[in-house]
Amino acid sequence: MMASRFGSHLKVWFFFVPLLAIVVMPAIPDRTLFQIPAAETQSLIDSLGTERADEVTRAANEVFRHAFVNNGVLHRTMVATQDSSGISDGGASTFAYTWTRNFWLLIYRMIYRAMVMKVWLIGTACFAAAMFVDGTMRRKIKASAAGYASPLSFHLAGHGLLLVGGTLFGVLVVPLPVLGYYWLAVGAVLGLLLWKAAESFQSAG
């Protein structure tokens, strides 16, 4: 029951809340909240080098252009929210235009961060796989020595994996710089949690 309640909370905070943020946040007039912070791009350059950072930017541009620009979706939505009548509407058209502009800026930043995440994906997967194998071997050694596998540790590690996985979606939306060391920290934490889950797993048999 407690695990189910915890899972429901995770869905709310790390899935529905980011989706709600995508709808609500663009209403904030401050355009800078939806642009990629300079500190974030500089951190990527420091972590990966200029060439790799440029590749990430080109990949994000290509995905965004193919998904929203070439088919005219972005242009049509921007034109539809521009006020060309000159008739006062109480600021409704200005609000609509601002929301649409910020929405597309936010979508681009999400794609950019997804491309950054992709760069770290292979290294993180290799590290996580190695930690999982090591944890499995550790569990077998403990079992052969009549050691005790803690179900509590397994469940805590499992919830930790859900928690970290949920933040990966939320971080695409957050209006704060996502620096390079964040992705390193995520990879390290995922590996450790997988190790603990494998090490403390207790089969039904």
Side-chain angles (χ1 to χ4, degrees):
M1 180 68 69
M2 184 176 295
S4 176
R5 190 180 301 115
F6 183 80
S8 298
H9 289 169
L10 285 181
K11 290 177 183 177
V12 170
W13 286 105
F14 298 111
F15 184 73
F16 293 112
V17 169
L19 284 179
L20 183 63
I22 295 173
V23 175
V24 175
M25 279 178 55
I28 303 173
D30 189 356
R31 179 173 180 165
T32 59
L33 291 176
F34 306 94
Q35 296 174 327
I36 301 170
E40 185 171 335
T41 55
Q42 185 59 49
S43 176
L44 184 64
I45 293 172
D46 294 341
S47 301
L48 303 177
T50 303
E51 185 175 346
R52 293 290 300 280
D54 288 343
E55 289 178 2
V56 169
T57 302
R58 284 195 295 269
N61 291 341
E62 183 178 347
V63 170
F64 186 80
R65 189 181 302 112
H66 178 73
F68 305 111
V69 178
N70 292 345
N71 56 18
V73 172
L74 186 147
H75 178 71
R76 287 195 296 270
T77 56
M78 295 302 295
V79 170
T81 54
Q82 284 180 325
D83 181 19
S84 57
S85 65
I87 301 174
S88 176
D89 57 3
S93 59
T94 300
F95 174 83
Y97 180 80
T98 299
W99 187 95
T100 305
R101 179 199 66 195
N102 292 341
F103 172 79
W104 288 120
L105 288 172
L106 178 59
I107 294 299
Y108 176 79
R109 189 173 65 191
M110 291 175 65
I111 292 174
Y112 175 83
R113 288 176 175 174
M115 294 300 104
V116 174
M117 189 188 303
K118 184 179 177 182
V119 170
W120 297 98
L121 186 62
I122 295 178
T124 299
C126 291
F127 176 70
M131 293 295 285
F132 180 81
V133 171
D134 186 76
T136 302
M137 296 303 297
R138 171 70 176 170
R139 175 172 56 83
K140 290 180 178 179
I141 292 172
K142 286 175 62 177
S144 65
Y148 175 70
S150 171
L152 177 60
S153 295
F154 174 77
H155 285 296
L156 288 176
H159 288 323
L161 288 169
L162 288 174
L163 188 66
V164 174
T167 60
L168 291 178
F169 182 54
V171 79
L172 298 178
V173 184
V174 66
L176 298 171
V178 181
L179 305 181
Y181 62 77
Y182 168 81
W183 304 109
L184 289 173
V186 166
V189 171
L190 280 175
L192 290 172
L193 288 172
L194 275 172
W195 181 88
K196 190 61 181 176
E199 188 264 348
S200 55
F201 176 73
Q202 192 173 35
S203 62

